[in-house]
Amino acid sequence: MVELIATSVDDPVARSLLTDYFRTRADTFPGNTYTTVFPASEVFEPPRGVFVIVTDDAGTAVGCGGVRAIDPGPLGPRFEVKHLYLAPATRGRGWGRMLLADLEHRAAAFGAAEVVLDTHHTLRPAARLYAAAGYAPIEAYNDNPNATVWLGKPLA
């Protein structure tokens, strides 16, 4: 059974998944200019946020993601989806959609009126996931050098 488990980003399993995520992004980023920034643990501690790992049927950690509070937006309290990652061998099973839905649910429980995220236009499978989940283009809300696309979704 696939499980979604809240943990600290400083947990060794979470840190290993984030390392894989950042390595994958750096290896495939156009121009090899990806900027890696490991998140501070306090931004993913309830009620400011949460970090989740995905374990597969064998209990192996295969993915991660988090939500964190950011400055309010036009709809009110806003949380940002960060570091959504699944190991390549696990993709196409619907686990990314399950993880994203779980993060949205957790953000709503913390009082978010909206979830937002930034991504890069070259991440086409991610773009399909976000579009299918109801995300739409919004104005840039940060200056992330790795991002070319900003998306949002109301939770109300």
Side-chain angles (χ1 to χ4, degrees):
M1 181 169 102
V2 175
E3 289 189 73
L4 303 168
I5 304 164
T7 190
S8 168
V9 295
D10 293 332
D11 176 88
V13 173
R15 191 76 172 181
S16 177
L17 288 163
L18 283 168
T19 299
D20 290 347
Y21 166 75
F22 288 129
R23 183 179 309 115
T24 300
R25 293 295 298 124
D27 289 348
T28 60
F29 200 76
N32 296 319
T33 59
Y34 186 80
T35 302
T36 298
V37 178
F38 275 90
S41 62
E42 62 270 9
V43 301
F44 290 108
E45 291 175 3
R48 291 183 57 201
V50 64
F51 196 79
V52 175
I53 59 170
V54 179
T55 60
D56 66 11
D57 297 332
T60 303
V62 296
C64 63
V67 288
R68 65 181 183 183
I70 61 171
D71 290 338
L75 302 178
R78 189 188 314 201
F79 275 63
E80 180 182 36
V81 175
K82 293 297 292 180
H83 313 306
L84 198 69
Y85 170 75
L86 284 170
T90 67
R91 294 178 188 163
R93 299 178 188 183
W95 297 353
R97 187 170 300 197
M98 180 176 58
L99 174 58
L100 183 59
D102 179 76
L103 294 173
E104 293 169 358
H105 177 77
R106 292 172 190 260
F110 291 138
E114 176 186 26
V115 285
V116 297
L117 60 90
D118 59 29
T119 188
H120 196 271
H121 67 275
T122 59
L123 297 174
R124 289 180 182 86
R128 287 190 295 273
L129 169 67
Y130 301 138
Y135 285 78
I138 60 171
E139 292 293 320
Y141 60 87
N142 64 24
D143 60 356
N144 182 351
N146 300 321
T148 57
V149 176
W150 289 262
L151 303 170
K153 177 181 178 179
L155 293 178

